[in-house]
Amino acid sequence: MEIIADLFKILIPSGFLLLGMYLLVKTFLNKQYEQKKLEMNMQSNETIIPLRLQAYERMTLFLERITPNYLLLRLYEKANQVGDFQALLLREIREEYYHNLAQQVYIEEETWEEIKGAMNNMLTLVNQSASELKADEPAIKLSKKIFDKVVNEEMDPTKKALSLLKKEAQKLFG
């Protein structure tokens, strides 16, 4: 019986010692893991944040370039008739969009959908305006028709997307 008592006297403290050592090592390894994870996140952010900012800048530029004011002023002299001008406007909007398509990787889904919606709204605006005119009329009439729709219907096809994009970009700094 005395042997069992002596055995317990040795095993119980040894068990506590082993348990303490296990918990100490486990805590140490968990802290090391969290520290490495934090370092990797920081390194990742050093790479990703500039790319995301660049994506926000490029998509802001895209939205500004397809805004009726800038788009029409930039292209109005490149076509003489409504049909040609319509085709030019549609091509320019799509090319701008396809040129920036890869930026969706860095932009939240909701914002990207709003950007696509802005592009589609602009395409619709051009097509609707052109459908109300004859294809062989002077191109300036299409510009006027688009401006009239924007002003009279108080529509800004890119405003909501730009606002959402700016809010998303500000999250990086807040």
Side-chain angles (χ1 to χ4, degrees):
M1 188 70 137
E2 212 172 287
I3 295 177
I4 294 177
D6 287 342
L7 191 59
F8 277 128
K9 287 179 187 177
I10 295 171
L11 285 180
I12 291 176
S14 297
F16 282 127
L17 182 64
L18 284 175
L19 179 64
M21 294 279 291
Y22 169 77
L23 293 174
L24 184 67
V25 169
K26 183 179 176 185
T27 303
F28 175 76
L29 290 176
N30 282 341
K31 283 184 181 181
Q32 289 289 354
Y33 173 76
E34 290 299 322
Q35 186 176 358
K36 287 288 184 189
K37 190 175 171 183
L38 184 62
E39 287 174 14
M40 288 179 66
N41 281 341
M42 288 177 67
Q43 287 175 347
S44 175
N45 282 342
E46 288 176 10
T47 304
I48 290 176
I49 287 177
L51 292 173
R52 289 187 76 188
L53 283 174
Q54 182 182 19
Y56 296 142
E57 289 169 358
R58 287 183 64 179
M59 294 317 300
T60 300
L61 183 60
F62 162 72
L63 290 169
E64 289 293 345
R65 287 178 62 87
I66 68 166
T67 299
N69 298 348
Y70 298 116
L71 182 68
L72 296 173
L73 291 175
R74 192 172 75 243
L75 299 175
Y76 81 96
E77 292 179 336
K78 295 185 179 182
N80 295 328
Q81 297 179 329
V82 168
D84 296 334
F85 194 41
Q86 176 189 13
L88 176 65
L89 292 172
L90 296 176
R91 185 176 71 242
E92 183 73 16
I93 293 167
R94 287 184 180 115
E95 283 177 4
E96 287 280 341
Y97 177 74
Y98 293 134
H99 179 73
N100 291 296
L101 198 58
Q103 302 308 312
Q104 68 182 300
V105 172
Y106 302 107
I107 295 174
E108 291 179 14
E109 184 69 28
E110 177 187 359
T111 306
W112 185 255
E113 289 300 318
E114 194 61 44
I115 290 168
K116 282 187 347 188
M119 180 206 54
N120 289 328
N121 290 341
M122 193 57 204
L123 293 171
T124 301
L125 176 63
V126 170
N127 285 329
Q128 283 178 350
S129 299
S131 71
E132 296 173 11
L133 300 168
K134 294 179 184 170
D136 60 349
E137 290 186 80
I140 193 73
K141 285 193 171 189
L142 180 57
S143 290
K144 288 179 182 178
K145 182 64 89 173
I146 292 171
F147 278 127
D148 286 344
K149 283 185 175 288
V150 169
V151 171
N152 293 335
E153 298 175 18
E154 295 181 12
M155 68 179 327
D156 186 349
T158 60
K159 184 178 181 179
K160 187 175 177 187
L162 268 169
S163 175
L164 201 56
L165 190 61
K166 288 176 187 177
K167 285 179 186 174
E168 185 177 327
Q170 288 172 352
K171 286 181 190 177
L172 289 178
F173 303 109

